[in-house]
Amino acid sequence: EQLVESGGGLVQPGGSLKLSCAPSGFNFDLYAMGWFRRAPGKASGLVAAMMSNGDSTYYTDAVKGRFTISRDNDLDTLNLEMNDLRTENTALYSCAKSGGPRFSLAPHSYDNWGQGTQVTVTA
């Protein structure tokens, strides 16, 4: 099983980025997926998650209305569109595979993680 993220970069406040996650080695459509972030000096936290069939999503309060998680189970892709980025969104963003079709807020419920893609928001 492998998860590979892409799309990070350097952006000014108010800008946008779209992160992508390419899974391989497992049946993507059977598992909920999440996006986590780790900022310098802070623990990893769940940013957004989506059930295996895309019916239900979760967003941490700080990103509601600005970030959108999506998945394409035919193309095996997971995305995170990030708009109106703020300096506090600077972090390493990783996609993660849940242990089943429903997502959990608990990091230990995710059993496979990508290496991450760096997002830096600075003026």
Side-chain angles (χ1 to χ4, degrees):
E1 296 183 356
Q2 189 175 21
L3 299 167
V4 179
E5 302 91 340
S6 61
L10 183 66
V11 64
Q12 293 184 336
S16 299
L17 283 173
K18 181 178 179 180
L19 306 184
S20 295
C21 174
S24 61
F26 63 97
N27 293 325
F28 178 67
D29 58 351
L30 297 181
Y31 297 94
M33 299 292 295
W35 283 99
F36 286 81
R37 66 183 173 192
R38 176 173 290 173
K42 296 184 178 180
S44 180
L46 181 63
V47 176
M50 177 174 272
M51 281 182 58
S52 60
N53 61 8
D55 278 358
S56 181
T57 58
Y58 163 84
Y59 297 94
T60 190
D61 286 345
V63 308
K64 285 180 180 177
R66 299 187 297 121
F67 289 16
T68 302
I69 187 172
S70 63
R71 65 190 294 162
D72 188 323
N73 285 347
D74 292 327
L75 298 178
D76 284 2
T77 58
L78 178 75
N79 299 306
L80 183 68
E81 292 194 55
M82 305 186 296
N83 297 312
D84 189 23
L85 283 161
R86 305 167 182 172
T87 56
E88 57 264 35
N89 299 137
T90 294
L92 181 70
Y93 286 75
S94 300
C95 63
K97 168 184 164 282
S98 180
R102 302 182 68 84
F103 60 76
S104 168
L105 305 188
H108 67 259
S109 297
Y110 295 79
D111 57 12
N112 197 1
W113 300 68
Q115 292 296 309
T117 185
Q118 179 66 36
V119 171
T120 302
V121 185
T122 181

